[in-house]
Amino acid sequence: MAESLQVTPLHAIHTALGARMMAFGGFDMPVQYTSILNEHRAVREAAGLFDVSHMGEVRVTGPQAFDYVQYLVTNDVSKLYDGKALYSVMCQHDGGAVDDLLVYAITEQEYLLVINASNIGKDLAHMEAVLAESGFDAALTDESAQTALLALQGPASHRVFEALLASEGVPFDLSGLKYYHFATIDELLGMGPMLVSHTGYTGEQGLELYADAAHATRLWNALVEAGEAHGLQPAGLGARDTLRLEAGYCLYGHELTEAINPLEAGLGWVVKLNASDFVGREALAQQKTDGLSRKLVGFVMDERAIPRQGHGLATPDGEPIGEVTSGSQSPTLGQGIGLGFVPNDPAYTKPGSTVHVSVRNRLKRGTVRKPPFHKL
């Protein structure tokens, strides 16, 4: 492991389990424990447990915390209430994406923003700059290093957590936790308060558990024990990527970058131009008026081939039209799948359209399909 890489509080567990580790977002992270295929299938059919403690958490507090967050992100924060979360994007003034993130409304004067690991430093600098620019009375606290984040995903995920709650005698009605809502458990396993969120990045039912980093090992071991009867498996970033790709979710650095705005990435549903002003609003409104020149599409390979980021997209006669942003073999379909940008023309964007991927200088035919791929 390179000395410059950070580690999560669960690093010793990953190495003890024999996980294959790799650098990701500045952290030494588990790619797989057994195989990506086994871990992917566990999440689709039963449950998987991910260590995503490398993600960043920034708390926003103060009398004008709401005004600040509303100005910072593209989505309409006024639709939130205590215990509700939303997905959004932070943009530059030119509309390019700084990052995508989750916004948790604790109160109108307190929000928790969850950001991508590889962007923590950049995001914090952007947030501070926006705070200084706006002049709102709010404060930012980086809680990333003190926070452990475990993602429990799959159709059996809620049953696993309910088993843990029952074994500890903790009265918590998980059935009342709606999608994109969260709640706080005051005490579990002697760990103190823990935020339990129902969002997900796999296309399956799931929970995200935010706890004090000092108790990460205790929580992981308790979940593994509770999940033994439900087919729970530890899962690494390899399966996390194939799962999110099958679901058609964007990954920053692929479908979103500072050169790609949320409208182009198909995230217009989180860009509320009429709600209030926000950083990048003017540029995005102008682009919406002018029309998009490119659009993100999903596709399934008709021929045997695995598309990868950077592979060219072309017409049948080889004319370049775009580029793959994410691609893999779908464990569910047994076919290559991908996301990529093409000209904003129905000839290329309409489901059922043909697209060709340049794989090792050979054109392989695919068909444009609307994700989620695992439900086709």
Side-chain angles (χ1 to χ4, degrees):
M1 182 183 69
E3 290 184 8
S4 59
L5 291 180
Q6 300 179 68
V7 298
T8 74
L10 293 165
H11 189 266
I13 283 183
H14 304 320
T15 55
L17 289 173
R20 183 163 70 85
M21 309 293 288
M22 71 169 286
F24 182 85
F27 285 77
D28 193 37
M29 296 294 294
V31 178
Q32 64 186 67
Y33 301 87
T34 54
S35 75
I36 292 174
L37 182 60
N38 287 342
E39 293 160 26
H40 180 108
R41 287 177 174 167
V43 175
R44 286 279 179 254
E45 299 169 6
L49 182 60
F50 299 86
D51 174 18
V52 283
S53 302
H54 60 313
M55 299 288 282
E57 292 83 18
V58 180
R59 196 170 299 270
V60 182
T61 55
Q64 293 183 298
F66 161 76
D67 302 280
Y68 167 72
V69 178
Q70 181 81 311
Y71 182 63
L72 179 72
V73 305
T74 62
N75 210 335
D76 186 4
V77 182
S78 72
K79 299 297 184 182
L80 292 180
Y81 45 84
D82 299 1
K84 181 80 170 67
L86 59 72
Y87 172 69
S88 192
V89 178
M90 291 188 293
C91 289
Q92 304 171 137
H93 282 287
D94 65 4
V98 176
D99 204 359
D100 59 339
L101 71 163
L102 292 175
V103 179
Y104 292 92
I106 314 297
T107 69
E108 194 168 304
Q109 296 189 11
E110 183 178 358
Y111 295 84
L112 182 66
L113 310 183
V114 182
I115 57 181
N116 285 298
S118 58
N119 291 339
I120 293 174
K122 180 188 76 170
D123 285 2
L124 282 167
H126 175 77
M127 291 177 186
E128 292 284 4
V130 171
L131 184 59
E133 169 197 323
S134 65
F136 289 124
D137 186 0
L140 305 176
T141 305
D142 179 12
E143 300 181 353
S144 306
Q146 294 78 44
T147 306
L149 175 54
L150 277 63
L152 179 61
Q153 300 285 304
S157 58
H158 285 205
R159 295 195 296 275
V160 171
F161 195 60
E162 286 169 341
L164 174 57
L165 293 170
S167 70
E168 294 297 313
V170 175
F172 182 78
D173 182 14
L174 196 57
S175 66
L177 189 63
K178 299 177 182 178
Y179 191 50
Y180 264 80
H181 285 70
F182 66 95
T184 299
I185 295 179
D186 293 330
E187 182 60 56
L188 178 65
L189 299 166
M191 299 188 304
M194 181 174 67
L195 189 151
V196 181
S197 166
H198 182 189
T199 62
Y201 192 54
T202 63
E204 298 293 340
Q205 184 182 63
L207 298 169
E208 297 76 44
L209 310 174
Y210 296 81
D212 189 310
H215 304 302
T217 298
R218 188 182 311 171
L219 179 58
W220 175 281
N221 289 337
L223 288 168
V224 169
E225 183 178 349
E228 187 173 354
H230 299 278
L232 175 73
Q233 289 190 33
L237 295 183
R240 191 166 175 83
D241 192 50
T242 54
L243 288 158
R244 73 91 192 169
L245 181 55
E246 284 190 345
Y249 294 145
C250 293
L251 175 63
Y252 193 86
H254 292 246
E255 289 72 44
L256 278 172
T257 69
E258 292 181 1
I260 301 172
N261 70 54
L263 297 180
E264 296 171 319
L267 297 176
W269 59 279
V270 304
V271 179
K272 308 300 185 184
L273 295 172
N274 298 323
S276 67
D277 192 22
F278 59 80
V279 179
R281 181 186 177 280
E282 186 175 337
L284 293 174
Q286 186 62 54
Q287 184 170 64
K288 190 168 185 178
T289 298
D290 296 341
L292 300 174
S293 61
R294 60 179 175 173
K295 185 177 179 180
L296 186 71
V297 298
F299 57 89
V300 176
M301 299 305 300
D302 301 320
E303 298 183 87
R304 186 174 179 179
I306 301 177
R308 299 294 186 189
Q309 181 185 23
H311 283 174
L313 295 174
T315 63
D317 60 4
E319 179 186 352
I321 57 171
E323 188 173 277
V324 176
T325 54
S326 292
S328 183
Q329 177 80 354
S330 165
T332 302
L333 299 180
Q335 296 170 266
I337 59 173
L339 300 172
F341 282 100
V342 295
N344 188 21
D345 182 323
Y348 307 118
T349 63
K350 186 178 179 180
S353 302
T354 297
V355 64
H356 285 74
V357 182
S358 178
V359 180
R360 297 192 181 96
N361 297 317
R362 298 182 65 182
L363 293 181
K364 297 290 186 176
R365 188 183 67 253
T367 299
V368 173
R369 300 291 186 194
K370 185 176 180 179
F373 299 117
H374 63 291
K375 295 185 178 181
L376 291 177

